[in-house]
């Protein structure tokens, strides 16, 4: 598992407690200078609370936050020099685009001419200089998101914090904006912590992904590591279109009810079946052997989402849409393409 070489943002056993609930449970995380790390997890898992503690909006019950060699745990938010983009964008409706972007500079007592120049440059960066005199109500959702990003960047922050910044956009614009944010982050080489519940966003945008559940950091790694060889069952199931089957390994063979797989490592306690790399077959072929009945099928455009009911439970298969699958109720076997399964100890 990869780790950052030069930590720039460090969370040391960061903890948040609300009443008797530990919303964030001693999270420790290092983010390298210029790295983008996503906090990924379901709603209520503590990822936004973690971000808000880093920003200085929530006081931790325990733990510390460092930026570079400086501990900032007790510093107020306005003294941490962090840029924040909120889910709602939080633009001032009575200020123009330029005035919104310049607001943080005004709070830092930057002179009028200098803040207008820097705000104009930030708008150039996000390709919105031509809309500098408009008001937020006159902008599309994507344009508002760019304004919020420019406002966060204009203060030249040491850390950029993004809290579900794409969730209010439609699917097409969301895909477009995630690419723009990533290119801009890499161009500026700015250390970034990004909160999302969307697995696709996390995998597409991040250098590493930190998976959270019930306030805990479950697993962290590069997107390809987490997809190809997750170490935790929760990671495998949350990354989507994966089936986790518990069983045991003996003499190189993994067994579970109705399922066997050759080449299993000693001590394997579960197999992860990756839906996009499974296929239906007339009979079982290859090291993976599992059969069942096709119980559901949905056409998704480029793929069919197929559920097969087996003795080991429901197994999902994502098959190309170039040929229709057998009808519901058909008996079928499942075979694995390269990378179609991995094991969890």
């Amino acid at each position: 598992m990869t780790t950052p070489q030069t930590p720039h943002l460090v969370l040391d056993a960061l903890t948040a407690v609300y009443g008797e609930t530990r919303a964030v449970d001693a999270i420790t995380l290092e983010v390298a200078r210029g790295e983008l790390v996503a906090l990924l997890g379901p709603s209520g898992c503590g990822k936004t609370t973690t971000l808000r503690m880093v920003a200085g909006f929530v006081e931790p019950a325990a733990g510390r936050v460092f930026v570079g060699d400086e501990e900032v745990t007790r510093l107020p938010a306005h003294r941490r020099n962090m840029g924040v983009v909120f889910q709602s964008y939080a633009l001032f409706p009575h200020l123009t685009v330029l005035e919104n972007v310049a607001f943080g500079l005004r709070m830092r007592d930057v002179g009028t001419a200098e803040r207008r120049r820097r705000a104009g440059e930030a708008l150039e960066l996000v390709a919105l200089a031509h809309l500098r005199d408009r008001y937020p109500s006159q902008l599309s959702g994507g344009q508002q998101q760019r304004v919020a990003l420019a406002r966060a960047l204009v203060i030249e922050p040491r850390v950029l914090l993004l809290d579900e910044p794409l969730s209010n956009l439609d699917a097409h614009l969301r895909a477009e904006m995630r690419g723009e944010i990533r290119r801009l982050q890499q161009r500026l080489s700015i250390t970034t912590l990004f909160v999302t519940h969307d697995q696709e966003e996390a995998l597409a945008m991040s250098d590493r992904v930190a998976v959270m559940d019930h306030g805990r950091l479950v697993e962290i790694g590069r997107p390809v590591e987490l997809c190809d060889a997750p170490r935790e069952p929760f990671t495998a199931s949350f990354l989507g279109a994966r089936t986790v089957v518990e069983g045991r390994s003996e003499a190189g063979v993994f067994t579970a009810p109705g399922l066997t797989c050759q080449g299993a490592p000693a001590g394997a306690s579960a197999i992860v079946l990756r839906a996009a790399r499974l296929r239906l077959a007339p009979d079982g072929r290859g090291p993976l052997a599992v059969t069942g009945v096709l119980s559901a099928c949905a056409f998704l455009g480029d793929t069919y989402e197929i559920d097969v009911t087996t003795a080991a439970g429901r197994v999902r298969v994502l098959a190309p849409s170039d040929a229709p699958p057998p009808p519901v109720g058909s008996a079928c076997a499942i075979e694995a393409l390269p990378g179609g399964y991995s094991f969890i100890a």
Side-chain angles (χ1 to χ4, degrees):
M1 198 67 67
T2 56
T3 55
Q5 298 301 311
T6 308
H8 180 60
L9 171 66
V10 177
L11 285 57
D12 177 24
L14 209 56
T15 301
V17 178
Y18 298 130
E20 297 182 357
T21 302
R22 293 175 76 87
V24 177
D25 191 0
I27 281 190
T28 295
L29 174 67
E30 294 182 351
V31 183
R33 185 179 298 276
E35 184 183 28
L36 190 154
V37 170
L39 298 179
L40 173 68
S43 297
C45 73
K47 55 189 184 295
T48 290
T49 300
T50 300
L51 191 86
R52 292 176 67 84
M53 285 191 289
V54 174
F57 302 142
V58 171
E59 184 176 352
R64 299 178 296 173
V65 179
F66 293 86
V67 179
D69 296 327
E70 179 187 7
E71 182 179 353
V72 300
T73 315
R74 303 304 167 193
L75 286 181
H78 68 276
R79 291 185 55 197
R80 297 191 184 196
N81 195 32
M82 295 183 180
V84 185
V85 177
F86 299 98
Q87 181 177 355
S88 63
Y89 313 138
L91 301 178
F92 298 110
H94 62 290
L95 299 182
T96 66
V97 165
L98 185 71
E99 291 167 339
N100 264 284
V101 174
F103 182 80
L105 298 175
R106 192 174 81 185
M107 294 298 99
R108 288 162 173 77
D109 295 322
V110 176
T112 302
E114 175 66 8
R115 68 173 180 257
R116 287 180 65 85
R117 181 188 67 79
R118 288 173 58 179
E121 290 177 351
L123 286 172
E124 291 278 2
L125 202 61
V126 298
L128 282 184
H130 61 294
L131 300 180
R132 59 192 293 156
D133 295 323
R134 288 193 184 180
Y135 289 89
S137 62
Q138 299 172 311
L139 304 178
S140 68
Q143 290 168 340
Q144 290 184 44
Q145 199 262 5
R146 287 185 177 93
V147 174
L149 185 59
R151 184 177 62 183
L153 293 173
V154 75
I155 62 172
E156 299 177 354
R158 294 188 291 177
V159 175
L160 179 63
L161 304 174
L162 306 173
D163 185 11
E164 300 268 15
L166 307 179
S167 61
N168 290 332
L169 305 178
D170 62 55
H172 175 75
L173 189 55
R174 194 160 59 238
E176 179 182 325
M177 288 306 304
R178 77 186 183 205
E180 289 193 20
I181 290 175
R182 180 57 165 157
R183 285 189 292 272
L184 190 57
Q185 182 268 336
Q186 290 178 315
R187 174 182 167 187
L188 299 175
S189 192
I190 184 169
T191 306
T192 303
L193 197 60
F194 171 59
V195 162
T196 182
H197 65 273
D198 188 300
Q199 302 93 327
E200 191 174 281
E201 281 180 11
L203 297 175
M205 294 178 64
S206 308
D207 294 298
R208 290 185 301 147
V209 178
V211 180
M212 292 183 63
D213 183 40
H214 289 94
R216 298 180 303 106
L217 181 59
V218 176
E219 186 172 357
I220 183 168
R222 294 185 300 116
V224 67
E225 293 172 340
L226 297 183
C227 285
D228 288 353
R231 293 183 292 110
E232 299 292 335
F234 178 82
T235 302
S237 60
F238 190 75
L239 283 177
R242 284 162 179 75
T243 304
V244 181
V245 178
E246 295 183 353
R248 63 189 181 90
S249 174
E250 186 174 343
V253 180
F254 181 87
T255 59
L259 180 152
T260 62
C261 191
Q262 306 290 328
S269 62
I271 187 171
V272 179
L273 303 176
R274 189 171 180 179
R277 297 183 184 177
L278 301 177
R279 295 292 182 266
L280 301 183
D283 46 38
R285 293 175 288 183
L288 176 69
V290 56
T291 59
V293 175
L294 197 154
S295 54
C297 181
F299 177 67
L300 303 181
D302 291 331
T303 59
Y304 284 100
E305 184 180 79
I306 302 163
D307 287 340
V308 179
T309 299
T310 76
R314 187 191 69 178
V315 177
R316 177 152 291 174
V317 176
L318 291 179
S321 61
D322 56 346
V328 171
S330 300
C332 57
I334 297 173
E335 65 177 2
L337 302 177
Y341 57 85
S342 61
F343 296 98
I344 295 177

